Amino acid sequence: MRKLLLTGFEPFLEYTVNPTMKVVEALDGKTIGNYQVVGKIMPVDFNSSGEFLLKFMEKENPDAVISLGLAAGRYKITPERIALNVKDGDVDNEGNKPVDEPIRQEGEAAYMSTLPVRKMVDHLLTNGLPAEISNTAGAYLCNNVMYEGLHFAKHKKPTLKTGFIHIPASHELAIQHGRIPSWSHEDLVKGIQICIEVLDKA
């Protein structure tokens, strides 16, 4: 049995509910294909989120890592293709607001996901769930975590499959915020399950 580290984020900014947290909690401890899922929740903090991810990776020694983030406003599940070596964007939960800062001074300008993102999208579409590849994870915490995971993999465990998937808002969150696209919690969980199943086929 292989091990998958699945991470989500705590609530942040005006989002008092983070559907990624609920998806991770729903899948923690499950067996999906050949993978045993270990779920962890990350802080929305530029200064510590990367350290949290690396500690989880070192402790769990997973065979694959999928990090999840909320993309409120998107209406599809969107596996990310690229992580940039930059921190920028809105203030985090600790009041940090970096501008054009590198994540790692010695790091590459960008890293490509090592997850089978095209197969994930194809499998989601085949199962009736809207999906497409995204070419930007932004420069906020989602990109930060994706970059740190890929940097770790390149230098410590090159065979590790790691990357990031953005998900839409849940109905619960959309009710709070009004006119944003949303999915049911059940479909969000199903979508990530489908993405995990693809790992066996990659």
Side-chain angles (χ1 to χ4, degrees), residues 77-125:
I77 290 181
T78 50
E80 297 294 343
R81 200 196 300 266
I82 303 165
L84 302 176
N85 188 9
V86 62
K87 293 189 281 190
D88 201 299
D90 293 324
V91 65
D92 67 18
N93 283 356
E94 301 302 318
N96 304 305
K97 195 180 186 306
V99 177
D100 300 336
E101 291 183 14
I103 296 170
R104 288 188 172 266
Q105 290 287 351
E106 79 285 7
E108 299 286 341
Y111 290 117
M112 300 285 284
S113 174
T114 53
L115 297 176
V117 293
R118 178 61 64 191
K119 288 184 178 180
M120 286 178 170
V121 166
D122 290 346
H123 204 39
L124 286 162
L125 293 173

Side-chain angles (χ1 to χ4, degrees), residues 185-202:
H185 169 72
E186 291 75 20
D187 278 348
L188 290 172
V189 171
K190 177 183 175 184
I192 299 308
Q193 239 176 314
I194 287 169
C195 289
I196 295 170
E197 289 168 1
V198 171
L199 295 175
D200 286 335
K201 300 175 174 63

Side-chain angles (χ1 to χ4, degrees), residues 42 46-58 83-88 98-111 139-140 143-156:
M42 309 283 291
F46 277 109
N47 292 334
S48 68
S49 59
E51 293 176 9
F52 269 80
L53 179 65
L54 300 185
K55 286 177 183 176
F56 292 147
M57 291 172 75
E58 288 172 346
L84 302 176
N85 188 9
V86 62
K87 293 189 281 190
D88 201 299
V99 177
D100 300 336
E101 291 183 14
I103 296 170
R104 288 188 172 266
Q105 290 287 351
E106 79 285 7
E108 299 286 341
Y111 290 117
Y140 194 51
N143 176 76
N144 190 70
V145 163
M146 181 180 178
Y147 185 93
E148 288 282 25
L150 288 163
H151 182 82
F152 176 95
K154 178 177 181 180
H155 294 280
K156 298 261 182 97

Side-chain angles (χ1 to χ4, degrees), residues 4-10 18-30 32 36-42 56 65-70 164-165 167 185 188-190 192-193 196:
L4 168 72
L5 175 61
L6 181 68
T7 75
F9 281 108
E10 65 185 0
N18 194 327
T20 67
M21 175 186 286
K22 298 200 171 187
V23 170
V24 169
E25 289 171 349
L27 295 178
D28 182 31
K30 302 284 188 187
I32 303 172
Q36 183 79 28
V37 178
V38 176
K40 300 291 183 182
I41 305 303
M42 309 283 291
F56 292 147
V65 179
I66 296 177
S67 295
L68 305 178
L70 167 65
F164 199 94
I165 300 174
I167 66 173
H185 169 72
L188 290 172
V189 171
K190 177 183 175 184
I192 299 308
Q193 239 176 314
I196 295 170

